[in-house]
Amino acid sequence: MFSKTSHFGIALGILNILFFLLQYQQNIHTDSKNIFAILMLPISVIFIVVAILRVNKDYEGELFSIRKGLQTGIGVILLGGIIFWLYQIVHANFIEPDYVEKLATVAQKDLQLDAQFSSEEVTEKITFYKENYKFNWFSEIVLKSLFTGFFVSLITSLVINAFYKQR
């Protein structure tokens, strides 16, 4: 089970990196509204579902366990998210040293458009973002992915389990 989970997780992480590099090449990687983020959601769902189906195929004689499905799906999305998060840090520190500054500028423009924040609050939030960008990216990439991965894995596992109970 771990072998399939790691293969799909590594593949998902590499695919995330390739999509990011494509955005970087087109210079839209700092844009908060691009199509690539939307495209990665169904691709991630497909990776999770296929990984769960492959693990299920290995346990042909046994009753499918929802726990195995959750472990597989969450493992795939967690591994893919951690790989992408690590690449983001490498990218910000070595490939594009001003990447955090560019993201902070975009965030500052977005916050200034929101009338509920004063200029001092915007400056404070941007300073906090720059100081804690590694943790912010971790929460954005990995924790949000885990939330999606949990529900996709749960639904897929329940469907597979219901299918086997009908047999």
Side-chain angles (χ1 to χ4, degrees):
M1 179 172 88
F2 179 73
S3 173
K4 294 213 181 349
T5 302
S6 62
H7 287 131
F8 281 99
I10 291 169
L12 183 61
I14 291 171
L15 193 61
N16 273 320
I17 292 169
L18 291 176
F19 267 73
F20 179 79
L21 289 174
L22 186 60
Q23 293 173 48
Y24 177 65
Q25 187 252 342
Q26 296 176 356
N27 201 24
I28 59 171
H29 62 296
T30 57
D31 187 16
S32 60
K33 298 171 184 134
N34 61 42
I35 190 72
F36 291 105
I38 297 169
L39 286 175
M40 277 312 295
L41 179 64
I43 292 172
S44 298
V45 168
I46 290 169
F47 270 76
I48 292 170
V49 170
V50 171
I52 291 172
L53 290 173
R54 292 281 174 104
V55 167
N56 179 40
K57 191 176 180 181
D58 289 346
Y59 296 101
E60 192 76 29
E62 300 177 30
L63 182 64
F64 181 74
S65 165
I66 294 173
R67 188 181 95 198
K68 289 177 194 169
L70 284 172
Q71 287 174 342
T72 302
I74 291 172
V76 166
I77 201 80
L78 180 65
L79 189 57
I82 288 174
I83 290 171
F84 184 57
W85 174 66
L86 290 173
Y87 175 77
Q88 286 280 338
I89 293 171
V90 168
H91 183 85
N93 290 324
F94 300 109
I95 298 172
E96 187 179 12
D98 62 338
Y99 181 54
V100 176
E101 279 295 323
K102 288 179 181 179
L103 288 176
T105 304
V106 171
Q108 186 173 9
K109 288 177 186 174
D110 289 343
L111 287 173
Q112 286 173 343
L113 291 176
D114 195 353
Q116 76 182 40
F117 297 114
S118 67
S119 61
E120 295 85 27
E121 289 175 323
V122 169
T123 306
E124 184 179 310
K125 288 182 182 295
I126 296 303
T127 304
F128 181 77
Y129 177 80
K130 288 179 186 178
E131 292 171 356
N132 300 308
Y133 72 92
K134 292 177 185 175
F135 178 74
N136 290 338
W137 288 349
F138 183 82
S139 65
E140 286 178 21
I141 295 170
V142 178
L143 298 179
K144 287 180 182 179
S145 297
L146 282 176
F147 183 74
T148 304
F150 173 77
F151 285 108
V152 170
S153 301
L154 182 63
I155 291 169
T156 305
S157 299
L158 289 171
V159 168
I160 291 172
N161 202 9
F163 177 74
Y164 277 111
K165 284 184 179 180
Q166 287 181 349
R167 282 186 171 184

